[in-house]
Amino acid sequence: MSNPRVLCFGEILFDCLADQLGLSLEEVKSWTPYPGGAPANVACALVKLGTPAGFVGAVGEDEPGNQLVQLLEEIGVDTTGVQRHSTAPTRQVYVVRDLAGDRNFAGFGEYDTSEFADTRLKAENLPESLFQEADFLVLGTLELAYPESEKAIHRALDLAEQYDLKIILDVNWRPVFWQDANVARQKIQAIWKRVDFLKLSKEEAEWLFDTTDPGAITYRMNTIDGVLVTDGEHGCTYCLGANEGNLPSYPIEVVDTTGAGDSFLAGFIHQLGKHGIQGLQDAETAKKVVAYANAVGALTTIKAGAIASQPTAAEVDAFLVSHPV
Protein backbone atom coordinates (compact mmCIF):
# COMPACT_ATOMS: atom_id res chain seq x y z
CA MET A 1 0.00 0.00 0.00
CA SER A 2 1.38 3.42 -0.92
CA ASN A 3 1.72 6.03 1.81
CA PRO A 4 -1.52 7.97 2.31
CA ARG A 5 -1.46 11.39 0.68
CA VAL A 6 -4.50 12.45 2.69
CA LEU A 7 -5.02 11.93 6.43
CA CYS A 8 -8.65 12.01 7.52
CA PHE A 9 -8.90 12.74 11.23
CA GLY A 10 -11.92 12.17 13.46
CA GLU A 11 -14.81 9.80 13.98
CA ILE A 12 -15.84 6.50 12.44
CA LEU A 13 -19.16 5.05 13.55
CA PHE A 14 -22.33 3.27 12.56
CA ASP A 15 -25.20 5.40 11.28
CA CYS A 16 -28.34 3.49 12.24
CA LEU A 17 -30.76 4.66 9.55
CA ALA A 18 -34.49 4.44 10.10
CA ASP A 19 -36.02 1.87 7.74
CA GLN A 20 -39.30 3.82 7.70
CA LEU A 21 -39.28 7.31 6.18
CA GLY A 22 -41.11 10.28 7.66
CA LEU A 23 -41.36 8.95 11.23
CA SER A 24 -40.02 10.34 14.51
CA LEU A 25 -37.40 8.53 16.61
CA GLU A 26 -40.10 6.98 18.81
CA GLU A 27 -42.22 5.85 15.85
CA VAL A 28 -39.44 4.06 13.90
CA LYS A 29 -39.89 0.28 14.05
CA SER A 30 -36.50 -0.88 12.74
CA TRP A 31 -33.06 0.42 11.88
CA THR A 32 -30.28 -0.61 9.49
CA PRO A 33 -26.67 0.15 10.53
CA TYR A 34 -24.39 1.68 7.89
CA PRO A 35 -20.70 2.50 8.40
CA GLY A 36 -20.12 6.24 8.52
CA GLY A 37 -18.51 9.20 10.25
CA ALA A 38 -17.52 12.14 8.07
CA PRO A 39 -13.70 11.73 8.10
CA ALA A 40 -13.97 7.97 7.51
CA ASN A 41 -16.40 8.61 4.65
CA VAL A 42 -13.92 11.02 3.06
CA ALA A 43 -11.05 8.53 3.40
CA CYS A 44 -13.04 5.72 1.79
CA ALA A 45 -14.29 7.93 -1.04
CA LEU A 46 -10.75 9.13 -1.76
CA VAL A 47 -9.40 5.59 -2.03
CA LYS A 48 -12.23 4.60 -4.36
CA LEU A 49 -11.33 7.58 -6.56
CA GLY A 50 -7.66 6.55 -6.59
CA THR A 51 -6.08 8.87 -4.00
CA PRO A 52 -4.31 6.98 -1.16
CA ALA A 53 -5.81 7.99 2.20
CA GLY A 54 -5.47 7.09 5.86
CA PHE A 55 -7.93 7.32 8.72
CA VAL A 56 -6.90 8.59 12.17
CA GLY A 57 -9.40 8.02 14.97
CA ALA A 58 -10.48 5.75 17.83
CA VAL A 59 -12.95 2.86 18.10
CA GLY A 60 -13.77 0.42 20.88
CA GLU A 61 -12.35 -3.05 21.29
CA ASP A 62 -15.79 -4.39 20.39
CA GLU A 63 -17.46 -6.06 17.45
CA PRO A 64 -18.63 -2.79 15.81
CA GLY A 65 -15.05 -1.51 16.09
CA ASN A 66 -13.71 -4.70 14.52
CA GLN A 67 -16.20 -4.39 11.66
CA LEU A 68 -15.29 -0.78 10.94
CA VAL A 69 -11.53 -1.39 10.95
CA GLN A 70 -12.01 -4.42 8.72
CA LEU A 71 -14.08 -2.34 6.30
CA LEU A 72 -11.39 0.36 6.10
CA GLU A 73 -8.76 -2.29 5.39
CA GLU A 74 -10.90 -4.00 2.74
CA ILE A 75 -11.41 -0.71 0.92
CA GLY A 76 -7.70 0.05 1.15
CA VAL A 77 -7.66 2.89 3.69
CA ASP A 78 -4.47 3.02 5.79
CA THR A 79 -5.37 2.18 9.42
CA THR A 80 -2.00 2.93 11.05
CA GLY A 81 -3.63 5.85 12.89
CA VAL A 82 -6.57 3.88 14.32
CA GLN A 83 -6.54 3.61 18.13
CA ARG A 84 -8.58 1.02 20.06
CA HIS A 85 -10.10 1.73 23.49
CA SER A 86 -10.55 -1.17 25.89
CA THR A 87 -13.76 -0.01 27.60
CA ALA A 88 -15.43 2.82 25.64
CA PRO A 89 -17.81 1.58 22.93
CA THR A 90 -17.68 2.36 19.22
CA ARG A 91 -20.13 5.18 18.47
CA GLN A 92 -23.56 4.50 16.98
CA VAL A 93 -25.79 7.35 15.81
CA TYR A 94 -29.52 7.03 15.17
CA VAL A 95 -30.71 8.82 12.05
CA VAL A 96 -34.32 9.46 11.04
CA ARG A 97 -35.19 10.34 7.45
CA ASP A 98 -37.94 12.47 5.96
CA LEU A 99 -40.02 11.41 2.99
CA ALA A 100 -37.45 12.87 0.59
CA GLY A 101 -34.65 10.78 2.16
CA ASP A 102 -32.96 13.72 3.92
CA ARG A 103 -31.67 12.72 7.34
CA ASN A 104 -31.76 14.17 10.82
CA PHE A 105 -29.63 13.00 13.72
CA ALA A 106 -31.81 11.62 16.50
CA GLY A 107 -29.44 10.61 19.31
CA PHE A 108 -27.03 7.94 20.54
CA GLY A 109 -29.22 5.24 22.03
CA GLU A 110 -28.37 4.23 25.60
CA TYR A 111 -25.08 6.19 25.85
CA ASP A 112 -24.21 9.81 26.51
CA THR A 113 -22.34 11.46 23.65
CA SER A 114 -19.15 11.73 25.74
CA GLU A 115 -18.91 7.98 26.48
CA PHE A 116 -17.77 6.74 23.07
CA ALA A 117 -14.29 5.64 22.05
CA ASP A 118 -13.81 8.45 19.50
CA THR A 119 -13.77 10.96 22.38
CA ARG A 120 -10.75 9.13 23.87
CA LEU A 121 -8.38 9.64 20.94
CA LYS A 122 -4.93 10.21 22.47
CA ALA A 123 -2.70 13.00 21.18
CA GLU A 124 0.49 11.23 22.28
CA ASN A 125 -0.37 8.15 20.19
CA LEU A 126 -0.75 9.92 16.84
CA PRO A 127 1.81 8.37 14.45
CA GLU A 128 4.14 11.18 13.39
CA SER A 129 5.38 9.11 10.44
CA LEU A 130 1.99 9.49 8.73
CA PHE A 131 2.34 13.28 8.75
CA GLN A 132 5.88 13.12 7.37
CA GLU A 133 4.63 11.54 4.15
CA ALA A 134 1.20 13.11 3.61
CA ASP A 135 0.10 16.18 1.63
CA PHE A 136 -3.28 16.97 3.22
CA LEU A 137 -4.95 16.77 6.63
CA VAL A 138 -8.76 16.70 6.64
CA LEU A 139 -10.61 17.22 9.88
CA GLY A 140 -14.02 18.09 11.24
CA THR A 141 -14.93 19.79 14.50
CA LEU A 142 -16.76 17.10 16.51
CA GLU A 143 -13.61 16.06 18.38
CA LEU A 144 -13.30 19.62 19.73
CA ALA A 145 -16.31 18.82 21.95
CA TYR A 146 -14.34 16.46 24.22
CA PRO A 147 -11.16 17.28 26.20
CA GLU A 148 -9.02 14.30 25.17
CA SER A 149 -9.84 14.31 21.48
CA GLU A 150 -9.57 18.11 21.44
CA LYS A 151 -5.93 17.75 22.48
CA ALA A 152 -5.47 15.24 19.67
CA ILE A 153 -6.87 17.74 17.13
CA HIS A 154 -4.40 20.40 18.23
CA ARG A 155 -1.54 17.88 18.11
CA ALA A 156 -2.58 16.89 14.57
CA LEU A 157 -2.67 20.56 13.54
CA ASP A 158 0.82 21.06 15.01
CA LEU A 159 2.16 18.03 13.10
CA ALA A 160 0.46 19.17 9.89
CA GLU A 161 2.12 22.59 10.17
CA GLN A 162 5.47 21.04 11.07
CA TYR A 163 5.45 18.83 7.96
CA ASP A 164 3.77 21.41 5.68
CA LEU A 165 0.49 19.60 5.03
CA LYS A 166 -2.40 21.61 3.64
CA ILE A 167 -5.21 21.61 6.20
CA ILE A 168 -8.82 21.21 5.09
CA LEU A 169 -11.58 21.86 7.65
CA ASP A 170 -15.08 20.50 7.12
CA VAL A 171 -17.07 22.17 9.91
CA ASN A 172 -19.68 19.38 9.99
CA TRP A 173 -21.66 21.11 12.77
CA ARG A 174 -23.72 18.56 14.73
CA PRO A 175 -25.40 20.10 17.81
CA VAL A 176 -26.08 16.66 19.35
CA PHE A 177 -22.34 16.22 19.97
CA TRP A 178 -22.06 19.45 21.98
CA GLN A 179 -23.28 20.75 25.36
CA ASP A 180 -23.16 24.46 24.39
CA ALA A 181 -23.35 25.99 20.90
CA ASN A 182 -21.52 29.15 21.97
CA VAL A 183 -18.56 27.12 23.25
CA ALA A 184 -18.61 25.20 19.97
CA ARG A 185 -18.45 28.40 17.94
CA GLN A 186 -15.52 29.73 19.97
CA LYS A 187 -13.54 26.50 19.63
CA ILE A 188 -14.19 26.27 15.89
CA GLN A 189 -13.20 29.92 15.38
CA ALA A 190 -10.00 29.32 17.38
CA ILE A 191 -8.72 26.75 14.85
CA TRP A 192 -9.97 28.13 11.55
CA LYS A 193 -7.06 30.59 11.33
CA ARG A 194 -4.82 27.51 10.90
CA VAL A 195 -6.64 26.00 7.91
CA ASP A 196 -6.01 26.36 4.17
CA PHE A 197 -9.40 25.26 2.83
CA LEU A 198 -12.78 25.57 4.52
CA LYS A 199 -15.91 23.60 3.61
CA LEU A 200 -19.20 24.79 5.07
CA SER A 201 -22.84 24.06 4.55
CA LYS A 202 -25.01 27.10 3.88
CA GLU A 203 -26.34 26.89 7.47
CA GLU A 204 -22.84 26.66 8.93
CA ALA A 205 -21.70 29.68 6.93
CA GLU A 206 -24.61 31.73 8.25
CA TRP A 207 -23.95 30.52 11.82
CA LEU A 208 -20.21 31.26 11.83
CA PHE A 209 -19.91 34.21 9.44
CA ASP A 210 -23.40 35.75 9.03
CA THR A 211 -22.99 35.32 5.28
CA THR A 212 -23.06 32.53 2.71
CA ASP A 213 -20.76 34.39 0.30
CA PRO A 214 -17.49 32.44 0.05
CA GLY A 215 -15.70 35.48 -1.31
CA ALA A 216 -16.63 37.50 1.76
CA ILE A 217 -15.57 34.62 4.02
CA THR A 218 -12.24 34.33 2.18
CA TYR A 219 -11.65 38.06 2.57
CA ARG A 220 -12.44 37.91 6.28
CA MET A 221 -10.12 34.94 6.87
CA ASN A 222 -7.37 36.62 4.85
CA THR A 223 -4.85 33.75 4.56
CA ILE A 224 -7.08 30.96 3.22
CA ASP A 225 -6.69 29.27 -0.20
CA GLY A 226 -10.33 28.41 -0.75
CA VAL A 227 -13.86 28.32 0.65
CA LEU A 228 -16.65 25.97 -0.44
CA VAL A 229 -20.26 26.56 0.65
CA THR A 230 -22.57 23.66 -0.15
CA ASP A 231 -26.35 23.83 -0.24
CA GLY A 232 -27.71 20.37 -1.03
CA GLU A 233 -29.75 20.31 -4.21
CA HIS A 234 -28.75 23.94 -4.92
CA GLY A 235 -25.13 22.94 -5.43
CA CYS A 236 -21.96 24.72 -4.36
CA THR A 237 -20.80 28.33 -4.22
CA TYR A 238 -17.04 28.66 -4.13
CA CYS A 239 -14.08 31.00 -3.90
CA LEU A 240 -10.91 29.23 -5.05
CA GLY A 241 -7.82 31.26 -5.73
CA ALA A 242 -9.22 34.46 -7.19
CA ASN A 243 -12.15 32.65 -8.79
CA GLU A 244 -15.70 32.78 -7.52
CA GLY A 245 -18.70 30.93 -8.88
CA ASN A 246 -21.75 28.79 -8.26
CA LEU A 247 -22.50 25.40 -9.75
CA PRO A 248 -25.92 23.77 -9.29
CA SER A 249 -26.13 20.15 -8.25
CA TYR A 250 -26.93 17.50 -10.83
CA PRO A 251 -30.58 16.45 -11.21
CA ILE A 252 -30.61 12.90 -9.91
CA GLU A 253 -33.05 10.50 -8.23
CA VAL A 254 -32.09 10.71 -4.55
CA VAL A 255 -32.36 7.63 -2.31
CA ASP A 256 -30.29 8.75 0.69
CA THR A 257 -28.25 11.93 1.20
CA THR A 258 -26.08 10.48 4.02
CA GLY A 259 -22.41 11.14 3.25
CA ALA A 260 -23.02 13.17 0.10
CA GLY A 261 -21.13 16.16 1.49
CA ASP A 262 -18.24 13.92 2.49
CA SER A 263 -18.06 12.45 -1.00
CA PHE A 264 -18.18 15.99 -2.41
CA LEU A 265 -15.17 16.89 -0.26
CA ALA A 266 -13.31 13.75 -1.35
CA GLY A 267 -13.94 14.64 -4.98
CA PHE A 268 -12.59 18.13 -4.37
CA ILE A 269 -9.43 16.83 -2.65
CA HIS A 270 -8.88 14.21 -5.34
CA GLN A 271 -8.94 16.94 -7.98
CA LEU A 272 -6.81 19.22 -5.83
CA GLY A 273 -4.18 16.50 -5.77
CA LYS A 274 -4.29 16.24 -9.57
CA HIS A 275 -4.29 19.93 -10.47
CA GLY A 276 -2.38 21.38 -7.51
CA ILE A 277 -3.37 24.46 -5.55
CA GLN A 278 -1.83 26.71 -8.21
CA GLY A 279 -4.24 25.17 -10.71
CA LEU A 280 -7.12 26.82 -8.88
CA GLN A 281 -5.89 30.21 -10.12
CA ASP A 282 -7.32 29.23 -13.51
CA ALA A 283 -11.07 29.93 -13.58
CA GLU A 284 -11.93 26.98 -15.84
CA THR A 285 -9.88 24.54 -13.74
CA ALA A 286 -11.53 25.77 -10.53
CA LYS A 287 -14.94 25.26 -12.13
CA LYS A 288 -14.05 21.73 -13.29
CA VAL A 289 -12.78 20.82 -9.82
CA VAL A 290 -16.10 21.84 -8.24
CA ALA A 291 -18.13 20.14 -11.00
CA TYR A 292 -16.23 16.92 -10.32
CA ALA A 293 -16.87 17.23 -6.58
CA ASN A 294 -20.57 17.84 -7.25
CA ALA A 295 -20.69 14.69 -9.37
CA VAL A 296 -19.09 12.53 -6.67
CA GLY A 297 -21.57 13.89 -4.13
CA ALA A 298 -24.54 13.34 -6.43
CA LEU A 299 -23.62 9.74 -7.26
CA THR A 300 -23.40 8.94 -3.54
CA THR A 301 -27.11 9.77 -3.09
CA ILE A 302 -28.47 7.15 -5.49
CA LYS A 303 -27.97 4.27 -3.03
CA ALA A 304 -28.32 3.91 0.75
CA GLY A 305 -25.39 4.33 3.12
CA ALA A 306 -22.52 6.78 3.11
CA ILE A 307 -19.67 4.42 2.14
CA ALA A 308 -21.36 1.62 0.21
CA SER A 309 -22.76 4.11 -2.30
CA GLN A 310 -19.51 5.94 -3.13
CA PRO A 311 -18.54 5.94 -6.82
CA THR A 312 -15.29 4.92 -8.49
CA ALA A 313 -13.32 7.33 -10.66
CA ALA A 314 -14.55 5.53 -13.78
CA GLU A 315 -18.18 5.99 -12.69
CA VAL A 316 -17.60 9.70 -12.07
CA ASP A 317 -15.90 10.15 -15.44
CA ALA A 318 -18.76 8.40 -17.23
CA PHE A 319 -21.31 10.52 -15.36
CA LEU A 320 -19.53 13.75 -16.32
CA VAL A 321 -19.52 12.74 -19.98
CA SER A 322 -23.30 12.43 -19.91
CA HIS A 323 -23.78 15.46 -17.61
CA PRO A 324 -21.46 18.20 -18.95
CA VAL A 325 -21.22 21.45 -16.97
Side-chain angles (χ1 to χ4, degrees):
M1 185 189 298
S2 57
N3 292 319
R5 293 189 64 195
V6 185
L7 302 180
C8 300
F9 181 105
E11 68 284 352
I12 187 169
L13 48 80
F14 275 105
D15 283 318
C16 298
L17 264 62
D19 293 327
Q20 299 81 34
L21 301 185
L23 299 183
S24 69
L25 175 67
E26 295 75 22
E27 294 170 322
V28 174
K29 295 178 176 61
S30 60
W31 309 81
T32 300
Y34 291 97
N41 294 342
V42 174
C44 291
L46 279 164
V47 170
K48 292 181 184 184
L49 293 172
T51 293
F55 174 74
V56 180
V59 295
E61 286 184 355
D62 51 18
E63 188 51 35
N66 293 341
Q67 291 173 10
L68 291 171
V69 173
Q70 182 180 350
L71 174 68
L72 291 175
E73 291 173 345
E74 288 172 352
I75 289 171
V77 174
D78 186 292
T79 57
T80 307
V82 176
Q83 300 177 20
R84 305 296 295 263
H85 197 278
S86 59
T87 57
T90 301
R91 189 182 292 271
Q92 298 190 72
V93 180
Y94 290 85
V95 181
V96 294
R97 295 186 286 167
D98 64 20
L99 293 172
D102 286 331
R103 75 269 191 269
N104 287 292
F105 291 86
F108 302 103
E110 62 187 285
Y111 293 101
D112 181 79
T113 181
S114 64
E115 295 182 82
F116 293 100
D118 56 90
T119 71
R120 313 291 210 273
L121 185 64
K122 293 186 182 300
E124 64 269 23
N125 292 344
L126 298 182
E128 190 168 338
S129 59
L130 285 176
F131 291 81
Q132 292 171 347
E133 301 292 337
D135 299 320
F136 300 98
L137 172 67
V138 182
L139 69 162
T141 62
L142 302 186
E143 280 64 43
L144 290 171
Y146 315 102
E148 202 163 1
S149 54
E150 182 182 16
K151 289 178 188 170
I153 276 197
H154 285 282
R155 172 65 176 152
L157 287 168
D158 290 344
L159 287 169
E161 289 170 352
Q162 180 181 341
Y163 292 108
D164 201 27
L165 280 67
K166 288 293 182 178
I167 298 167
I168 301 165
L169 179 66
D170 177 7
V171 171
N172 197 31
W173 165 240
R174 298 285 181 264
V176 293
F177 284 76
W178 292 85
Q179 303 291 330
D180 185 325
N182 289 324
V183 170
R185 186 191 283 109
Q186 290 165 12
K187 290 189 175 186
I188 293 166
Q189 289 172 339
I191 68 165
W192 78 33
K193 299 279 192 298
R194 304 178 72 175
V195 308
D196 300 290
F197 290 91
L198 182 63
K199 175 188 167 287
L200 305 140
S201 68
K202 179 185 175 185
E203 295 76 17
E204 290 163 352
E206 289 170 341
W207 178 55
L208 290 169
F209 293 97
D210 295 318
T211 179
T212 60
D213 181 348
I217 295 169
T218 301
Y219 179 79
R220 196 180 308 178
M221 293 184 69
N222 193 24
T223 58
I224 201 159
D225 290 316
V227 174
L228 302 159
V229 179
T230 58
D231 187 18
E233 63 187 29
H234 301 295
C236 174
T237 308
Y238 61 90
C239 180
L240 299 170
N243 301 300
E244 295 185 49
N246 173 262
L247 285 178
S249 62
Y250 295 97
I252 201 161
E253 195 70 36
V254 173
V255 171
D256 175 23
T257 60
T258 306
D262 306 324
S263 290
F264 168 92
L265 184 58
F268 173 75
I269 298 165
H270 177 67
Q271 289 292 295
L272 199 56
K274 291 181 76 169
H275 294 284
I277 291 172
Q278 287 306 313
L280 299 177
Q281 300 298 330
D282 177 71
E284 199 56 35
T285 299
K287 184 178 178 182
K288 284 181 179 176
V289 166
V290 175
Y292 188 96
N294 272 352
V296 181
L299 286 169
T300 300
T301 69
I302 62 178
K303 290 183 276 189
I307 293 173
S309 56
Q310 292 166 342
T312 64
E315 289 169 333
V316 179
D317 291 342
F319 180 83
L320 286 169
V321 169
S322 60
H323 295 77
V325 179

